[in-house]
C-alpha cells in the first residue's frame, strides 16, 4: 500500500509540475515547475522498492540538482541582461550571448534525458526498473513526460533566444560575470562525466541501497 501510494503521488506530482510549467509565462517559475515534475522520477524509484530502482532514484536526485542549478544560472544571465523574467517580453537574445545560449540548450537536453548525459542514464535505469518490476506502464509514462518536458523547455527557449526581438527590449551590453559562466560549464562537465561513466555514482548509491534493504 505504501509503495503504491508513493508511486501514485509521484506520477501526480510529475503531471502537475509539467502541466503548471506549460502554463507559465515567467521562466523562473517554468524551470521551478519542471524541476518539481522531475522529482516524481525520484519518487517512482523509491516506490518501486528494488535495489536498482532506489539506486536510480538517488542518482536522479543528484542529476536533477546539477542540471537545475545550471538552468537557474543560465536563466539568471537573462534576468541580468534584460531585467525581466517574462518570456513574452523576451526574444532575439541569441545574437547577444550565443555561448550562453549554447550552454542553455545543452542543459535543456540534459534535463529532458537526451543521451549520453547523466539524466538519460538515471531515467533509463528507472525505466528498466519499472519494466523489471512488472510495471511497463510506468516506463511509458516516464518516457512520455520526458518528451513533454523537452517540448516545454524548447518552447521557452525559442521564445527567449530565437524569436524576433520585441520592440522596447533593453539588453545590457555588460559582460556576464565569468564566475557564472564558469559554474555553468563545470556543472555541464560533471553531467557529461556522470553520463559517460554513471558507475561513478551508481556504485556508491548501490552499496548504500543494498545496505538499507538488508536492514
Amino acid at each position: 500500500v505504501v509503495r503504491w501510494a508513493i508511486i501514485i503521488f509521484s506520477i501526480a506530482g510529475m503531471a502537475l509540475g509539467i502541466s503548471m510549467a506549460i502554463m507559465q509565462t515567467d521562466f523562473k517559475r517554468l524551470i521551478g515547475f519542471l524541476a518539481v515534475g522531475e522529482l516524481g522520477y525520484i519518487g517512482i524509484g523509491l516506490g518501486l522498492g528494488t535495489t536498482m530502482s532506489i539506486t536510480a532514484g538517488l542518482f536522479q536526485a543528484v542529476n536533477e540538482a546539477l542540471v537545475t542549478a545550471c538552468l537557474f544560472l543560465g536563466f539568471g544571465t537573462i534576468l541580468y541582461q534584460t531585467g525581466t523574467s517574462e518570456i513574452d517580453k523576451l526574444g532575439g537574445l541569441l545574437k547577444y550571448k550565443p555561448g550562453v545560449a549554447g550552454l542553455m540548450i545543452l542543459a535543456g537536453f540534459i534535463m529532458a534525458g537526451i543521451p549520453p548525459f547523466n539524466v538519460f542514464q538515471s531515467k533509463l535505469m528507472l525505466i528498466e526498473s519499472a519494466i523489471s518490476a512488472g510495471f511497463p506502464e510506468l516506463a511509458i509514462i516516464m518516457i512520455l513526460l520526458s518528451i513533454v518536458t523537452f517540448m516545454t523547455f524548447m518552447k521557452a527557449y525559442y521564445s527567449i533566444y530565437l524569436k524576433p526581438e520585441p520592440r522596447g527590449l533593453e539588453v545590457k551590453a555588460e559582460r556576464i560575470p565569468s564566475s557564472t559562466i564558469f559554474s555553468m560549464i563545470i556543472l555541464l562537465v560533471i553531467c557529461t562525466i556522470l553520463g559517460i561513466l554513471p558507475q561513478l555514482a551508481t556504485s556508491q548509491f548501490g552499496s548504500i541501497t543494498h545496505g538499507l534493504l538488508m536492514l
Side-chain angles (χ1 to χ4, degrees):
V1 176
V2 174
R3 182 173 77 169
W4 273 108
I6 294 174
I7 291 174
I8 291 171
F9 277 116
S10 297
I11 294 173
M14 293 165 70
L16 179 62
I18 294 174
S19 299
M20 291 297 294
I22 293 172
M23 296 186 293
Q24 299 307 310
T25 58
D26 183 295
F27 60 69
K28 293 182 295 182
R29 291 179 178 272
L30 183 144
I31 293 300
F33 279 115
L34 284 181
V36 170
E38 292 291 299
L39 291 176
Y41 291 90
I42 304 170
I44 288 177
L46 299 178
L48 288 172
T50 66
T51 300
M52 184 178 182
S53 69
I54 295 175
T55 299
L58 294 175
F59 189 23
Q60 173 69 14
V62 171
N63 294 339
E64 179 63 23
L66 291 169
V67 71
T68 301
C70 185
L71 285 170
F72 271 117
L73 284 171
F75 279 121
T77 65
I78 299 169
L79 187 60
Y80 177 80
Q81 287 180 270
T82 64
T84 182
S85 58
E86 290 293 325
I87 297 174
D88 294 339
K89 297 179 180 179
L90 297 169
L93 295 184
L94 179 64
K95 65 182 179 182
Y96 293 101
K97 300 293 179 183
V100 176
L103 295 176
M104 286 296 291
I105 193 69
L106 183 57
F109 286 163
I110 293 172
M111 171 177 268
I114 302 297
F117 302 103
N118 55 341
V119 177
F120 167 76
Q121 297 290 358
S122 56
K123 287 186 176 181
L124 179 61
M125 288 179 64
L126 287 166
I127 291 169
E128 291 175 344
S129 298
I131 294 173
S132 298
F135 302 110
E137 61 275 10
L138 288 179
I140 295 173
I141 289 172
M142 287 188 282
I143 292 171
L144 291 176
L145 291 178
S146 287
I147 294 172
V148 176
T149 296
F150 179 68
M151 294 174 61
T152 303
F153 174 84
M154 287 306 301
K155 179 182 177 182
Y157 185 89
Y158 171 82
S159 297
I160 294 169
Y161 286 104
L162 302 178
K163 79 175 184 182
E165 182 178 337
R167 292 182 179 181
L169 178 64
E170 296 183 3
V171 181
K172 293 181 181 178
E174 291 90 341
R175 290 183 57 188
I176 295 172
S178 57
S179 59
T180 300
I181 305 300
F182 178 76
S183 298
M184 291 180 68
I185 292 173
I186 290 298
L187 289 169
L188 292 174
V189 168
I190 295 173
C191 289
T192 304
I193 292 173
L194 290 179
I196 297 172
L197 300 171
Q199 63 271 21
L200 293 176
T202 56
S203 60
Q204 302 298 321
F205 293 138
S207 300
I208 295 172
T209 301
H210 182 72
L212 290 174
L213 293 177
M214 291 296 290
L215 293 177

